[in-house]
Amino acid sequence: MTDFETVIRSRRVVTPERVAPAAVGVRDGRIEAVAGPGVRWSAREEVDLGDTALLPGAVDLGTGVYDPGLEAADCYREAGAAALRGGVTTLVVSPAPARPAVIRADDLQAQRRAAAGSPVGLYFLGGVTSGSGSLDLADLRAAGAVAFQCSLSDGGAPDMAALDDAWLRKAMAELAALDAVLLVHAEDARELGTPPLTAEQRPPRAERRGLERVISAARSVGTRTHVVPFTAAECAALLSAAGSIGVGLSAQTCPHYLCLPAEVLDPESPAHACRPPLRSDANRKALWSALLEPDSAITTVSSGHLPAHGLYTLRWSLSALWTAARRRGADLDLLSRWTAAAPAELLGLAGKGRIAPGCDADLVAFAPERPVSVPGVDRSPYAGRGLVGEVGPVWVAGMRAPSGDSGPPHTWA
């Protein structure tokens, strides 16, 4: 086999079967072949990463892109540039906060036009509100929404208000007919009070009550449901038990919930804005235990990037997650499963999240032993921290992304 555009070799290539030495042949933006390291192929460019691992590009599920003060197109370029620096090659964009929130097909098309200059792959979630009719949801699905999202409390925008039980069941029934996954922010509005508690005061019981409502609705309707984000470790048994009664329920958490206990936060840390809040160190440890259980119902880990709330997390999430995961014996296969394969499988993105023939050539070089220092002036919750695991270079659809933290994000080297 000859004339690949690019051949990338590494002693640690993360494939669906194993982590092993391999060569990856890329042509026309896709992975055409994966073979042993000794294979001899001709290519216009050959890259030998040595001991640096080659991972599938991360698929970030539920990314908030809207950044107050920026034009919509700039929001997508900024988010895309941060994603590339963090090893994320695909963003699955939350419907809110956005201007406009994506609750109708026209809204999705407007966001797609604004995102035309993004340097990463983009998919969109459709928003579900108490006014969403079956035609709106069907139109959103036909327009390209890969899944849908709702909230049982504050949905991030005035036009995505909380769903009550009647509307939740109605939406679930309609989405089941569309064979679509529903992502749910499961904090219960009644447990948060009126006006809602501050971000830091929101109790774990709000998640428990919301999770009970989701399980009850999903059990009667049969909709595949993903809780985003899941933080209250005391609810892990309830989440896991849903499967035993036939409920298709899974969940996602974020690296900051796994890495940053509330007790050590600086008073000025942007992590104080997290909703649900960062919880205790004991909760953090229990959340790790739940994530690492065999067949855990917590299947995906994504950044929780939400500039509208001051959470700029895309750049460091992969390294932060790996820093904590490796201490607990997790390997690169698990890291890639949480961040790439599982979110792609959940949404049916067949060409994403894997290093295998036929998949998109979205690839990330990752040095898992290399120390990384987050600048003290960084806007992320990880500012000033020492992490492990350096990202770079990155390929999107076979094209090498620009290196470094500067330069126009929509150009390619």
Side-chain angles (χ1 to χ4, degrees):
M1 190 177 294
T2 59
D3 297 328
F4 287 110
E5 292 167 1
T6 307
V7 171
I8 306 169
R9 301 178 188 273
S10 167
R11 296 189 185 95
R12 289 184 282 188
V13 176
V14 182
T15 69
E17 294 78 26
R18 60 189 179 278
V19 179
V24 179
V26 174
R27 183 187 289 120
D28 296 330
R30 299 180 73 81
I31 298 169
E32 188 156 309
V34 179
V39 67
R40 300 181 66 85
W41 289 332
S42 63
R44 297 176 203 171
E45 178 189 27
E46 182 153 342
V47 179
D48 191 341
L49 297 175
D51 285 330
T52 296
L54 187 67
L55 313 182
V59 177
D60 201 66
L61 179 56
T63 316
V65 169
Y66 174 68
D67 196 338
L70 293 182
E71 295 293 328
D74 293 328
C75 291
Y76 282 100
R77 281 192 288 266
E78 288 287 325
L84 288 176
R85 295 193 290 271
V88 174
T89 56
T90 301
L91 299 180
V92 183
V93 180
S94 177
R99 300 295 182 269
V102 181
I103 58 176
R104 295 180 180 83
D106 289 348
D107 305 325
L108 192 152
Q109 299 298 357
Q111 293 298 320
R112 183 173 280 134
R113 288 192 295 270
S118 172
V120 296
L122 287 172
Y123 295 90
F124 293 88
L125 299 172
V128 180
T129 76
S130 57
S132 296
S134 57
L135 185 59
D136 291 326
L137 299 179
D139 284 351
L140 272 168
R141 185 69 158 166
V146 294
F148 292 81
Q149 187 169 14
C150 71
S151 178
L152 304 187
S153 52
D154 40 7
D159 42 4
M160 275 196 64
L163 293 188
D164 62 20
D165 287 342
W167 277 103
L168 178 62
R169 289 171 188 264
K170 179 178 183 294
M172 281 187 168
E174 290 167 356
L175 294 179
L178 294 173
D179 192 27
V181 177
L182 178 63
L183 280 63
V184 181
H185 182 113
E187 286 182 293
D188 182 81
R190 287 168 291 187
E191 296 291 345
L192 300 180
T194 306
L197 297 169
T198 67
E200 293 175 88
Q201 294 174 326
R202 297 155 81 107
R205 70 174 181 273
E207 281 193 69
R208 172 171 286 277
R209 174 58 185 147
L211 190 56
E212 289 169 348
R213 290 174 57 195
V214 168
I215 291 171
S216 176
R219 185 179 187 184
S220 65
V221 177
T223 309
R224 291 177 295 150
T225 309
H226 200 57
V227 174
V228 179
F230 180 84
T231 74
E234 66 183 54
C235 300
L238 182 61
L239 180 69
S240 297
S244 66
I245 59 173
V247 177
L249 184 66
S250 54
Q252 170 171 293
T253 194
C254 304
H256 39 274
Y257 294 117
L258 294 163
C259 299
L260 302 174
E263 295 93 332
V264 304
L265 284 186
D266 184 277
E268 303 302 316
S269 173
H272 288 289
C274 290
R275 297 185 296 180
L278 267 67
R279 305 200 187 278
S280 67
D281 190 49
N283 182 87
R284 181 181 66 90
K285 292 174 180 176
L287 188 59
W288 267 113
S289 295
L291 177 64
L292 291 169
E293 284 182 357
D295 301 317
S296 173
I298 307 171
T299 57
T300 67
V301 183
S302 288
S303 72
H305 187 77
L306 193 60
H309 293 170
L311 294 171
Y312 295 86
T313 53
L314 271 169
R315 171 67 177 88
W316 303 107
S317 282
L318 189 67
S319 297
L321 177 61
W322 174 244
T323 301
R326 70 196 292 266
R327 294 175 185 154
R328 291 163 174 80
D331 57 15
L332 293 172
D333 180 71
L334 258 182
L335 180 71
S336 295
R337 177 76 188 166
W338 293 329
T339 61
E345 288 173 10
L346 178 75
L347 301 183
L349 308 180
K352 302 294 183 182
R354 297 179 301 136
I355 299 179
C359 291
D360 294 344
D362 297 342
L363 304 166
V364 173
F366 186 71
E369 289 87 22
R370 192 167 298 163
V372 176
S373 296
V374 183
V377 296
D378 193 81
R379 295 186 293 179
S380 80
Y382 309 106
R385 295 180 179 273
L387 305 176
V388 179
E390 185 178 60
V391 172
V394 175
W395 292 262
V396 179
M399 299 180 69
R400 188 190 294 225
S403 59
D405 286 358
S406 61
H410 58 284
T411 61
W412 300 103

